[in-house]
Amino acid sequence: MVDRYASFDRLAFDRPAPHVLRVTINRPEKMNALDAEGHDQLERVWAAIDADPEARVSIITGAGKAFCAGGDFASMPIGGALDPNQEGARSFRSATNLVMGMVNASKPIVSAINGPAVGAGLAVALLADISIAAKQAKLIDGHVRIGVTAGDHAALIWPLLCGMAKAKYYLLTNETMTGEEAERNNLVSLAVDAADLQAKALEVAEKLASSAPTAVRMTKYVLNHWLRQQQAVFDLSAALEMINFQGAESRAAIKAVSEKSTPEFPDKTYF
Amino acid sequence: MVDRYASFDRLAFDRPAPHVLRVTINRPEKMNALDAEGHDQLERVWAAIDADPEARVSIITGAGKAFCAGGDFASMPIGGALDPNQEGARSFRSATNLVMGMVNASKPIVSAINGPAVGAGLAVALLADISIAAKQAKLIDGHVRIGVTAGDHAALIWPLLCGMAKAKYYLLTNETMTGEEAERNNLVSLAVDAADLQAKALEVAEKLASSAPTAVRMTKYVLNHWLRQQQAVFDLSAALEMINFQGAESRAAIKAVSEKSTPEFPDKTYF
Amino acid sequence: MVDRYASFDRLAFDRPAPHVLRVTINRPEKMNALDAEGHDQLERVWAAIDADPEARVSIITGAGKAFCAGGDFASMPIGGALDPNQEGARSFRSATNLVMGMVNASKPIVSAINGPAVGAGLAVALLADISIAAKQAKLIDGHVRIGVTAGDHAALIWPLLCGMAKAKYYLLTNETMTGEEAERNNLVSLAVDAADLQAKALEVAEKLASSAPTAVRMTKYVLNHWLRQQQAVFDLSAALEMINFQGAESRAAIKAVSEKSTPEFPDKTYF
Amino acid sequence: MVDRYASFDRLAFDRPAPHVLRVTINRPEKMNALDAEGHDQLERVWAAIDADPEARVSIITGAGKAFCAGGDFASMPIGGALDPNQEGARSFRSATNLVMGMVNASKPIVSAINGPAVGAGLAVALLADISIAAKQAKLIDGHVRIGVTAGDHAALIWPLLCGMAKAKYYLLTNETMTGEEAERNNLVSLAVDAADLQAKALEVAEKLASSAPTAVRMTKYVLNHWLRQQQAVFDLSAALEMINFQGAESRAAIKAVSEKSTPEFPDKTYF
Amino acid sequence: MVDRYASFDRLAFDRPAPHVLRVTINRPEKMNALDAEGHDQLERVWAAIDADPEARVSIITGAGKAFCAGGDFASMPIGGALDPNQEGARSFRSATNLVMGMVNASKPIVSAINGPAVGAGLAVALLADISIAAKQAKLIDGHVRIGVTAGDHAALIWPLLCGMAKAKYYLLTNETMTGEEAERNNLVSLAVDAADLQAKALEVAEKLASSAPTAVRMTKYVLNHWLRQQQAVFDLSAALEMINFQGAESRAAIKAVSEKSTPEFPDKTYF
Amino acid sequence: MVDRYASFDRLAFDRPAPHVLRVTINRPEKMNALDAEGHDQLERVWAAIDADPEARVSIITGAGKAFCAGGDFASMPIGGALDPNQEGARSFRSATNLVMGMVNASKPIVSAINGPAVGAGLAVALLADISIAAKQAKLIDGHVRIGVTAGDHAALIWPLLCGMAKAKYYLLTNETMTGEEAERNNLVSLAVDAADLQAKALEVAEKLASSAPTAVRMTKYVLNHWLRQQQAVFDLSAALEMINFQGAESRAAIKAVSEKSTPEFPDKTYF
């Protein structure tokens, strides 16, 4: 196992049952926030698992109290070394690789949402084929709060999870949804007490691991065509997010979040 | 404000908070039923709000006890001055203008569904980006009851709100759904006690008004591509409704509703 | 009535109210499991009902304690008289005829899910326009359990019923969902106490039967365009199921179900 | 053969080669114009051919000098015995049955377009899987000329034949296209000299009849999903056509065509 | 007419026949290149024409030797007064308003492509419902040449005009296509000798103007649903174009075009 | 270069111009027919090229007189070591990997179709972004001829190349189309004399290599969403092909092709 997953140092791996691989996002001191390298590893890991003959099912969870706090500010495409076109291209590819990497993975993925899941972290939580949340876990998309379009995964799948009315409410206001509410809204598959979460995720993963592998994977594959059909809409959300990151609105919003102050936005809007 | 909204006499306007415009359907003695002029104003008002630099968010609600009882019988395309082709064309455009006008409005819309919402009134309530219902408010599509295809908004969005099983049940039977049930079915964003409704709507609107405007609008815009993709299906529902209005079935049904009697329909059906 | 439905001997017919035809799957000693002939009759019956001038609405239910246990093992395309290409073609057509036959039927269908609904039985239950389940009725897709892709109806409609997260959970694990849970998840229209089921189904059917027939049928027709749009995805699920039935995985799974043992699958998977 | 096709008296049938059935629209004295009965037979014949074990391929052609002049004026839904809703429903079903009947037929259809093909006649010509036109044959959609939306088949398939620019030109102006031009525009499969038409159609039909039947039918089936995806757009065109037929514009246009005069239309348009 | 079109000073208007309005892009000394104001007028003019009771059809053409050279460099969103987010939002809206304004205009539009049509100018030429080109007129998309994604109209309609193979060839290489080749490729409706162009455009416009107005407009409306279905793809092309304009690649390409030199691009690409 | 492409022994590589990589299918003694290994290399090579920093554009061509004769009989999924489910899964993945690998490659691909292109070879030829054929080169899909559904690439793209009428003619009859005809039908981008083919392909490739790389790749990416939207239809064609390969019809057809005899098919067809 060392060799296969050696390049994934932001993630921890174990095999809690035959054919089950557990992946743990492993930066607990930062609520498992993703730096650029961590994001990249979450883009690549699903293809590595597909190539792993010992794994039939994977579990994705977070180390410590959080599931994943999303991208850290340092990894956001706010400017820097690259020019805006290159930064936009790189970030667009990075966002779509993470999302479509999970959609196109052959093997089923179970998420055990043990604590806060935000931004790209929420994308990973909800794009798992079976999502199991601790009842008190907090789910927040968080894009609008930092002044950018909800471009990570939401436009691909939320309308097919909790419906448009709930989707827009949570995506536009960035109100927190608990795991319990998420299950009630059909956003996640199951919600269980935090104490039972890892056991339940493992139970479900073992059930999948003991089922006919081709049938499981083809059932996933076919259902995901509903998502692939919305790839242009998702791509659009990601492209608009990259445009937003270049401007004053997102800078003001990020500053306000960092300083816990009230943001001020330019008077005029062109959209 | 007088000038900008001067031509909208079926609606009342106020600004309960910075950047928040509240629009009140204002014919309380008729449960805010829409005559042709009222319908026309609800088609046009969203573009006027998009052009209003003081407004970032709008709230739509009803005066008095009702949200909006829908089109009044006098405004229905049952025949009269125009020939059936022209009446069909006019009514088709009118129905689609109302619906697509809300879908294509840049700025987010919050509905405060304070009481009965029926027909075109329900369309306005549910096409708002965030829909907040009083728990006891009664929601009724009402088309089949008057003998016409559910052609106002339902085919555009209900399957993406509460799912096909609930959608068909309520659209085919025209059973009443309460605000509380609607929230439970994912048909609306939130349900609150009637006493808290306007405050909650304002709270949500203020939150949107203080968020990055471009990000909010683009997030709405992208999510609404799910609805734009169904425009041909929606248009078909509206066209079939206009065909229905020219015939004996809808006349019999409307008569029965008016007289609270049992309708009798032609023996033979051609569909 | 004798003549019109004479060729449907796996089904029983009665007319419990004017314009209402009730169809009962009638093999109670086998939990109404479908042999090839029974499946064929459920493919053909909807066109026969469309041609029946006395029927405006149909109810579909099961005799005895079950709704329908799905295809019996003898009817599955596991090999036999036909070569794999012909068996695949025949079974593909059979599966799609049943599903699209209900989708394309003009007249509305109410299902009264009185007990277990599995496989093709669940397809019939959930493709009814209005689905009413006894609260304790058990709903199981059951395909993955026998080692084949969920190819009967699920890929056509589940994401538009209960959302992707719940859909994948139940379709991949084949966990049982009760009628009560199904209503809570928006998978069925209504759940009622078993004692009230037939009366409720009849009440709903009578309401539809007394509504304007053209408006009812056109409303069904338009809403079902949401399903017709997914016909290629559904067809793909059926085609992959037929491929699976030719192989060792499904044989192992079916053997394990029959023997209540643990299946063993080939080591290597090619998907 | 007498029995199987006995009810199709507007059509003539022969079997010019093994497994090839030729259907000839047979009202040469009226340029094979379709009365209501003839239209109905063209709706039903494809299912009859699918059930005919001797036929693997069909050829559709016209008796005498024309292919098919389309619906005759007497069969148009301009009013009469039925009320407008019922007439609209009936005509909508009739138009969609003809078109989708050809799309959904299992067996391949070859059209031999021997002369003028207009309206519903052009629909039959172009919805054949392989369309072979005499170089001088005249192809005219003809809907706009009689004051109604091009609702027969054009919105389903023209953009996927000759592209939008050519489609709109011919559909909006009702200019005549010859078979030779049609082939050049990719609207038909082949154009040949009139003298060679029937031989070429037969040659192609024989080639199909000697190919693997399942592969031929599945290839047709899969490609036609491109058309099924546009069913809502096509349905909308048919519904709007039925609205148009109820009004003064189409009456004026039909009168002008009949009298070879210039039509006068109402001053105001509501679309 | 003065009042209705008074605010459109980049355009000239005349009425060459009853119900026909001719619009001439009127900056011949600059090959009718569009400054920001000219672009804005081409976004708004279609709604103004829809509201003009004297016009049933419009012709769009260019003054002098060119049809329209597209946006001038000064109007491109390369940076300046607005921040990149606002510039991106503004330019995205501007591009989509022009394109969807023509798609959603009720009344038919005929383009008379009298000379070079480039960029946004080509968009106007090809989004006309009927496009008539002088045989020698040069058609060039031109986006890739200035280092940006083909984001104006191409992704919306080219695959439905000349097919993907020709579309990609001309869009990726920016080779010139003549009007004659464009007609041969199905990219335009007709190609005629330059001397006959205006007469032919007028003849077609008069034919449309003398046809049933509702049928003409509804036929256009329905066919354009094929384009509306691709709105997310088109939007994505426009959003990516706006990202490109912020970077070094487009600056290098624009510089090279201006200086007729060879551009040098950054070594590394992130897409 | 040795290392990067060392594992691709069925292909030859050279760099005829800066940033241009030429890939030559290299089994001239067998008309470049693909054994299983050759097919696999054509699945994998596009990702290798995307990772090659020296390559901005690739050319794909054939060694000797043929472009590529497609899969050889030995590589077809007719049975053998694997069971039918596994063989079906493997072959389905193999077919979709080749096709979607070209669609999803970032960098543009130019095909130089120097001679016969058949089956999977034709897929490679036509899925190139720019396809340039020698005028006399013979293009044949060839699936129906060996008794299987046209499952390689045709259902994904032919209707968007040459339109449905031409697509069905060539796909159902497997008539040969020359390069010259293919260009006339919009199936390929260009047709040139055989002597000029490689020079023209190189000229086009150099033009692309000297254009802004991000703009080129994003333009390709966006246009290919038209193809991604049809992935379920394409997948269905591939799945049905795998079913066909297991049966007697394809065995009979393949035997007949090998022996140049007339195939005999089972009397009864189930589709």
Side-chain angles (χ1 to χ4, degrees), chain D residues 40-71:
Chain D
D40 179 67
Q41 293 181 14
L42 279 171
E43 298 170 40
R44 293 187 294 113
V45 73
W46 315 107
I49 296 170
D50 274 356
D52 176 352
E54 292 177 65
R56 286 191 184 162
V57 185
S58 62
I59 296 171
I60 179 85
T61 193
K65 296 192 172 170
F67 179 77
C68 174

mmCIF file of all heavy atoms in Angstrom, chain D residues 40-71:
data_model
loop_
_atom_site.group_PDB
_atom_site.id
_atom_site.type_symbol
_atom_site.label_atom_id
_atom_site.label_comp_id
_atom_site.label_asym_id
_atom_site.label_seq_id
_atom_site.Cartn_x
_atom_site.Cartn_y
_atom_site.Cartn_z
ATOM 1 N N ASP D 40 -54.814 8.319 -40.991
ATOM 2 C CA ASP D 40 -54.904 7.313 -39.939
ATOM 3 C C ASP D 40 -54.174 6.035 -40.345
ATOM 4 O O ASP D 40 -53.499 5.400 -39.529
ATOM 5 C CB ASP D 40 -56.378 7.020 -39.650
ATOM 6 C CG ASP D 40 -56.545 5.967 -38.572
ATOM 7 O OD1 ASP D 40 -56.182 6.259 -37.419
ATOM 8 O OD2 ASP D 40 -57.014 4.861 -38.892
ATOM 9 N N GLN D 41 -54.302 5.653 -41.600
ATOM 10 C CA GLN D 41 -53.631 4.422 -42.041
ATOM 11 C C GLN D 41 -52.112 4.574 -42.011
ATOM 12 O O GLN D 41 -51.384 3.634 -41.669
ATOM 13 C CB GLN D 41 -54.134 4.016 -43.428
ATOM 14 C CG GLN D 41 -55.612 3.588 -43.381
ATOM 15 C CD GLN D 41 -56.174 3.150 -44.715
ATOM 16 O OE1 GLN D 41 -55.425 2.913 -45.665
ATOM 17 N NE2 GLN D 41 -57.487 3.045 -44.803
ATOM 18 N N LEU D 42 -51.648 5.775 -42.333
ATOM 19 C CA LEU D 42 -50.195 5.996 -42.260
ATOM 20 C C LEU D 42 -49.697 6.080 -40.813
ATOM 21 O O LEU D 42 -48.506 5.919 -40.552
ATOM 22 C CB LEU D 42 -49.806 7.258 -43.034
ATOM 23 C CG LEU D 42 -49.693 7.043 -44.549
ATOM 24 C CD1 LEU D 42 -49.531 8.368 -45.284
ATOM 25 C CD2 LEU D 42 -48.511 6.115 -44.883
ATOM 26 N N GLU D 43 -50.610 6.361 -39.894
ATOM 27 C CA GLU D 43 -50.229 6.277 -38.484
ATOM 28 C C GLU D 43 -50.076 4.823 -38.036
ATOM 29 O O GLU D 43 -49.183 4.482 -37.273
ATOM 30 C CB GLU D 43 -51.291 6.948 -37.592
ATOM 31 C CG GLU D 43 -51.481 8.439 -37.844
ATOM 32 C CD GLU D 43 -52.697 8.998 -37.113
ATOM 33 O OE1 GLU D 43 -52.945 8.614 -35.960
ATOM 34 O OE2 GLU D 43 -53.419 9.830 -37.706
ATOM 35 N N ARG D 44 -50.976 3.960 -38.543
ATOM 36 C CA ARG D 44 -51.060 2.598 -38.025
ATOM 37 C C ARG D 44 -50.192 1.576 -38.753
ATOM 38 O O ARG D 44 -49.900 0.504 -38.227
ATOM 39 C CB ARG D 44 -52.520 2.119 -38.088
ATOM 40 C CG ARG D 44 -53.458 2.856 -37.155
ATOM 41 C CD ARG D 44 -54.844 2.211 -37.156
ATOM 42 N NE ARG D 44 -55.520 2.347 -38.441
ATOM 43 C CZ ARG D 44 -55.808 1.350 -39.264
ATOM 44 N NH1 ARG D 44 -55.435 0.105 -38.976
ATOM 45 N NH2 ARG D 44 -56.443 1.568 -40.403
ATOM 46 N N VAL D 45 -49.798 1.915 -39.998
ATOM 47 C CA VAL D 45 -49.221 0.854 -40.825
ATOM 48 C C VAL D 45 -47.869 0.354 -40.317
ATOM 49 O O VAL D 45 -47.508 -0.810 -40.489
ATOM 50 C CB VAL D 45 -49.135 1.312 -42.297
ATOM 51 C CG1 VAL D 45 -48.027 2.350 -42.494
ATOM 52 C CG2 VAL D 45 -48.942 0.118 -43.228
ATOM 53 N N TRP D 46 -47.114 1.229 -39.649
ATOM 54 C CA TRP D 46 -45.757 0.833 -39.242
ATOM 55 C C TRP D 46 -45.789 -0.246 -38.173
ATOM 56 O O TRP D 46 -44.938 -1.158 -38.176
ATOM 57 C CB TRP D 46 -44.974 2.065 -38.784
ATOM 58 C CG TRP D 46 -45.167 3.202 -39.726
ATOM 59 C CD1 TRP D 46 -45.901 4.334 -39.521
ATOM 60 C CD2 TRP D 46 -44.701 3.282 -41.089
ATOM 61 N NE1 TRP D 46 -45.899 5.118 -40.654
ATOM 62 C CE2 TRP D 46 -45.162 4.499 -41.628
ATOM 63 C CE3 TRP D 46 -43.914 2.448 -41.887
ATOM 64 C CZ2 TRP D 46 -44.891 4.907 -42.930
ATOM 65 C CZ3 TRP D 46 -43.633 2.835 -43.184
ATOM 66 C CH2 TRP D 46 -44.119 4.058 -43.697
ATOM 67 N N ALA D 47 -46.754 -0.173 -37.271
ATOM 68 C CA ALA D 47 -46.882 -1.238 -36.272
ATOM 69 C C ALA D 47 -47.305 -2.538 -36.943
ATOM 70 O O ALA D 47 -46.872 -3.630 -36.536
ATOM 71 C CB ALA D 47 -47.885 -0.832 -35.190
ATOM 72 N N ALA D 48 -48.145 -2.426 -37.951
ATOM 73 C CA ALA D 48 -48.553 -3.640 -38.672
ATOM 74 C C ALA D 48 -47.361 -4.279 -39.372
ATOM 75 O O ALA D 48 -47.220 -5.510 -39.398
ATOM 76 C CB ALA D 48 -49.655 -3.300 -39.683
ATOM 77 N N ILE D 49 -46.513 -3.463 -39.925
ATOM 78 C CA ILE D 49 -45.308 -4.002 -40.591
ATOM 79 C C ILE D 49 -44.366 -4.631 -39.570
ATOM 80 O O ILE D 49 -43.797 -5.701 -39.811
ATOM 81 C CB ILE D 49 -44.604 -2.892 -41.409
ATOM 82 C CG1 ILE D 49 -45.518 -2.409 -42.541
ATOM 83 C CG2 ILE D 49 -43.269 -3.392 -41.958
ATOM 84 C CD1 ILE D 49 -45.026 -1.163 -43.262
ATOM 85 N N ASP D 50 -44.211 -3.990 -38.430
ATOM 86 C CA ASP D 50 -43.356 -4.589 -37.388
ATOM 87 C C ASP D 50 -43.853 -5.986 -37.005
ATOM 88 O O ASP D 50 -43.054 -6.857 -36.645
ATOM 89 C CB ASP D 50 -43.317 -3.689 -36.138
ATOM 90 C CG ASP D 50 -42.248 -2.607 -36.237
ATOM 91 O OD1 ASP D 50 -41.489 -2.594 -37.218
ATOM 92 O OD2 ASP D 50 -42.164 -1.763 -35.325
ATOM 93 N N ALA D 51 -45.158 -6.184 -37.076
ATOM 94 C CA ALA D 51 -45.733 -7.486 -36.696
ATOM 95 C C ALA D 51 -45.734 -8.498 -37.847
ATOM 96 O O ALA D 51 -46.139 -9.643 -37.642
ATOM 97 C CB ALA D 51 -47.158 -7.281 -36.180
ATOM 98 N N ASP D 52 -45.305 -8.085 -39.003
ATOM 99 C CA ASP D 52 -45.353 -8.945 -40.199
ATOM 100 C C ASP D 52 -44.050 -9.740 -40.299
ATOM 101 O O ASP D 52 -42.994 -9.174 -40.606
ATOM 102 C CB ASP D 52 -45.540 -8.025 -41.427
ATOM 103 C CG ASP D 52 -45.520 -8.781 -42.748
ATOM 104 O OD1 ASP D 52 -45.207 -9.984 -42.765
ATOM 105 O OD2 ASP D 52 -45.815 -8.145 -43.772
ATOM 106 N N PRO D 53 -44.081 -11.039 -40.071
ATOM 107 C CA PRO D 53 -42.827 -11.789 -40.032
ATOM 108 C C PRO D 53 -42.130 -11.894 -41.386
ATOM 109 O O PRO D 53 -40.938 -12.171 -41.442
ATOM 110 C CB PRO D 53 -43.252 -13.175 -39.534
ATOM 111 C CG PRO D 53 -44.698 -13.275 -39.839
ATOM 112 C CD PRO D 53 -45.257 -11.880 -39.798
ATOM 113 N N GLU D 54 -42.855 -11.640 -42.466
ATOM 114 C CA GLU D 54 -42.221 -11.721 -43.783
ATOM 115 C C GLU D 54 -41.446 -10.445 -44.138
ATOM 116 O O GLU D 54 -40.640 -10.457 -45.061
ATOM 117 C CB GLU D 54 -43.278 -11.967 -44.859
ATOM 118 C CG GLU D 54 -43.917 -13.342 -44.760
ATOM 119 C CD GLU D 54 -45.008 -13.508 -45.806
ATOM 120 O OE1 GLU D 54 -44.688 -13.504 -47.012
ATOM 121 O OE2 GLU D 54 -46.175 -13.616 -45.403
ATOM 122 N N ALA D 55 -41.724 -9.368 -43.431
ATOM 123 C CA ALA D 55 -41.095 -8.088 -43.790
ATOM 124 C C ALA D 55 -39.921 -7.777 -42.881
ATOM 125 O O ALA D 55 -40.040 -7.830 -41.658
ATOM 126 C CB ALA D 55 -42.126 -6.966 -43.695
ATOM 127 N N ARG D 56 -38.797 -7.478 -43.470
ATOM 128 C CA ARG D 56 -37.659 -6.948 -42.701
ATOM 129 C C ARG D 56 -37.439 -5.473 -43.000
ATOM 130 O O ARG D 56 -36.828 -4.765 -42.209
ATOM 131 C CB ARG D 56 -36.384 -7.724 -43.047
ATOM 132 C CG ARG D 56 -36.344 -9.118 -42.454
ATOM 133 C CD ARG D 56 -34.959 -9.710 -42.599
ATOM 134 N NE ARG D 56 -34.931 -11.086 -42.107
ATOM 135 C CZ ARG D 56 -33.986 -11.965 -42.416
ATOM 136 N NH1 ARG D 56 -32.985 -11.587 -43.205
ATOM 137 N NH2 ARG D 56 -34.007 -13.186 -41.929
ATOM 138 N N VAL D 57 -37.869 -5.047 -44.129
ATOM 139 C CA VAL D 57 -37.661 -3.668 -44.568
ATOM 140 C C VAL D 57 -38.911 -3.253 -45.319
ATOM 141 O O VAL D 57 -39.521 -4.077 -46.000
ATOM 142 C CB VAL D 57 -36.466 -3.561 -45.539
ATOM 143 C CG1 VAL D 57 -36.174 -2.109 -45.901
ATOM 144 C CG2 VAL D 57 -35.242 -4.227 -44.967
ATOM 145 N N SER D 58 -39.278 -1.971 -45.228
ATOM 146 C CA SER D 58 -40.376 -1.502 -46.068
ATOM 147 C C SER D 58 -39.903 -0.346 -46.935
ATOM 148 O O SER D 58 -38.955 0.368 -46.599
ATOM 149 C CB SER D 58 -41.576 -1.086 -45.221
ATOM 150 O OG SER D 58 -41.237 -0.015 -44.382
ATOM 151 N N ILE D 59 -40.566 -0.236 -48.082
ATOM 152 C CA ILE D 59 -40.388 0.919 -48.961
ATOM 153 C C ILE D 59 -41.704 1.662 -48.956
ATOM 154 O O ILE D 59 -42.775 1.050 -49.014
ATOM 155 C CB ILE D 59 -40.054 0.466 -50.402
ATOM 156 C CG1 ILE D 59 -38.709 -0.263 -50.439
ATOM 157 C CG2 ILE D 59 -40.051 1.657 -51.360
ATOM 158 C CD1 ILE D 59 -38.404 -0.924 -51.784
ATOM 159 N N ILE D 60 -41.640 2.985 -48.851
ATOM 160 C CA ILE D 60 -42.856 3.793 -48.958
ATOM 161 C C ILE D 60 -42.714 4.687 -50.189
ATOM 162 O O ILE D 60 -41.699 5.368 -50.353
ATOM 163 C CB ILE D 60 -43.122 4.600 -47.668
ATOM 164 C CG1 ILE D 60 -44.381 5.453 -47.810
ATOM 165 C CG2 ILE D 60 -41.949 5.497 -47.290
ATOM 166 C CD1 ILE D 60 -45.643 4.729 -47.494
ATOM 167 N N THR D 61 -43.721 4.657 -51.062
ATOM 168 C CA THR D 61 -43.676 5.478 -52.266
ATOM 169 C C THR D 61 -45.096 5.900 -52.645
ATOM 170 O O THR D 61 -46.041 5.596 -51.912
ATOM 171 C CB THR D 61 -42.958 4.725 -53.409
ATOM 172 O OG1 THR D 61 -42.664 5.631 -54.470
ATOM 173 C CG2 THR D 61 -43.805 3.577 -53.943
ATOM 174 N N GLY D 62 -45.221 6.645 -53.731
ATOM 175 C CA GLY D 62 -46.539 7.137 -54.128
ATOM 176 C C GLY D 62 -46.952 6.597 -55.483
ATOM 177 O O GLY D 62 -46.110 6.405 -56.364
ATOM 178 N N ALA D 63 -48.243 6.419 -55.661
ATOM 179 C CA ALA D 63 -48.755 5.954 -56.942
ATOM 180 C C ALA D 63 -48.819 7.123 -57.920
ATOM 181 O O ALA D 63 -49.170 8.245 -57.548
ATOM 182 C CB ALA D 63 -50.149 5.351 -56.758
ATOM 183 N N GLY D 64 -48.459 6.876 -59.156
ATOM 184 C CA GLY D 64 -48.570 7.919 -60.161
ATOM 185 C C GLY D 64 -47.450 8.938 -60.047
ATOM 186 O O GLY D 64 -46.303 8.590 -59.771
ATOM 187 N N LYS D 65 -47.796 10.197 -60.280
ATOM 188 C CA LYS D 65 -46.756 11.215 -60.426
ATOM 189 C C LYS D 65 -46.309 11.846 -59.118
ATOM 190 O O LYS D 65 -45.281 12.520 -59.079
ATOM 191 C CB LYS D 65 -47.242 12.316 -61.378
ATOM 192 C CG LYS D 65 -47.469 11.780 -62.785
ATOM 193 C CD LYS D 65 -47.657 12.898 -63.777
ATOM 194 C CE LYS D 65 -47.689 12.330 -65.200
ATOM 195 N NZ LYS D 65 -48.105 13.332 -66.192
ATOM 196 N N ALA D 66 -47.115 11.728 -58.086
ATOM 197 C CA ALA D 66 -46.781 12.389 -56.822
ATOM 198 C C ALA D 66 -46.354 11.370 -55.780
ATOM 199 O O ALA D 66 -46.722 10.196 -55.848
ATOM 200 C CB ALA D 66 -47.970 13.175 -56.301
ATOM 201 N N PHE D 67 -45.570 11.853 -54.797
ATOM 202 C CA PHE D 67 -45.324 11.026 -53.618
ATOM 203 C C PHE D 67 -46.539 11.155 -52.697
ATOM 204 O O PHE D 67 -47.292 10.225 -52.501
ATOM 205 C CB PHE D 67 -44.042 11.475 -52.909
ATOM 206 C CG PHE D 67 -43.740 10.682 -51.674
ATOM 207 C CD1 PHE D 67 -43.206 9.408 -51.771
ATOM 208 C CD2 PHE D 67 -43.997 11.190 -50.406
ATOM 209 C CE1 PHE D 67 -42.934 8.650 -50.624
ATOM 210 C CE2 PHE D 67 -43.726 10.448 -49.258
ATOM 211 C CZ PHE D 67 -43.202 9.178 -49.365
ATOM 212 N N CYS D 68 -46.782 12.364 -52.199
ATOM 213 C CA CYS D 68 -47.961 12.571 -51.347
ATOM 214 C C CYS D 68 -48.132 14.065 -51.135
ATOM 215 O O CYS D 68 -47.213 14.741 -50.665
ATOM 216 C CB CYS D 68 -47.796 11.851 -50.015
ATOM 217 S SG CYS D 68 -49.119 12.207 -48.851
ATOM 218 N N ALA D 69 -49.312 14.566 -51.465
ATOM 219 C CA ALA D 69 -49.580 16.006 -51.368
ATOM 220 C C ALA D 69 -49.951 16.454 -49.974
ATOM 221 O O ALA D 69 -50.300 17.614 -49.771
ATOM 222 C CB ALA D 69 -50.682 16.386 -52.357
ATOM 223 N N GLY D 70 -49.906 15.544 -49.000
ATOM 224 C CA GLY D 70 -50.215 15.923 -47.618
ATOM 225 C C GLY D 70 -51.692 15.826 -47.323
ATOM 226 O O GLY D 70 -52.454 15.232 -48.086
ATOM 227 N N GLY D 71 -52.112 16.389 -46.201
ATOM 228 C CA GLY D 71 -53.518 16.356 -45.811
ATOM 229 C C GLY D 71 -54.347 17.187 -46.777
ATOM 230 O O GLY D 71 -53.912 18.243 -47.218
#
